[in-house]
Structures are given as C-alpha cells and as structure tokens.
Amino acid sequence: FLPCELPLQADLAKIELVERDVRRHPQADAALLINATLVNHASHAQPYPLFSVSFSNLAGEPVALRHFRPTEYLGDAATVSAGMAPGARVHAVLEIEDPGTEAISFQLDFL
C-alpha cells in the first residue's frame, strides 16, 4: 500500500460570515482594519477559503478589490493546512490600504 492523503473537501455554502467590522487602523495612517468571524457549518473539515474584500462607490461601481489567502488572514501555516474543523469559529484580521473617500460600501466574500 502507498500512503495517500486526499485534499480537504470544500463547500463554501457551509461557511458563514457571522460578524464583520471595518474601521480605521489604530496604528497606521491611511489603512483600515477588518475583523471578520466565520463559522464552518459543514460536518467535515474543509480548507480555509480565499477571502475577497471589495469596496464600491455611490454608483455601486468597484473602486478597490483584494483577495487574501488563508495564510494572510490567519498567519499560521500549520493551522491552514489542517483546515477548518466542523463547527469551528474562526476570527480573521485583515489590514488593507484605505481605498479613499470614494469608497462608501464594502463586501466580503469567500472564493
């Protein structure tokens, strides 16, 4: 027999964003701090998702977009490789450049 490891099964529909907050960064000028809490409602561990942050202007047109890999919002490669356990509640912290006064709304998505 050969050792075989299967990749974690992903089901983005089972990951819920339960809390989110965007505010000025307390220590860096022209930066924002995003705090988000996500929950894995799947009955199995699954990979951490790619996190997408977008900002739009008054007309609903995008003015800024950034994708974060799990290692960028979690910081610990061992945690990332183990995946999100069933029922896990995970706090993510994202630091981004302030997109300016034209950006009036934001959206967080999983990819």
Side-chain angles (χ1 to χ4, degrees), residues 93-108:
V93 178
L94 310 169
E95 296 177 310
I96 62 168
E97 185 177 331
D98 189 336
T101 58
E102 192 178 344
I104 61 158
S105 66
F106 72 96
Q107 184 166 334
L108 305 176

Side-chain angles (χ1 to χ4, degrees), residues 15-66:
I15 298 177
E16 179 185 12
L17 182 64
V18 294
E19 294 176 13
R20 65 185 191 156
D21 178 70
V22 177
R23 60 182 65 176
R24 296 228 173 267
H25 197 292
Q27 299 169 336
D29 292 336
L32 299 176
L33 189 63
I34 300 172
N35 288 288
T37 303
L38 44 147
V39 176
N40 179 14
H41 293 293
S43 60
H44 55 82
Q46 60 175 321
Y48 287 94
L50 189 64
F51 215 116
S52 173
V53 178
S54 61
F55 289 85
S56 301
N57 63 16
L58 190 57
E61 300 164 334
V63 295
L65 171 69
R66 170 121 189 250

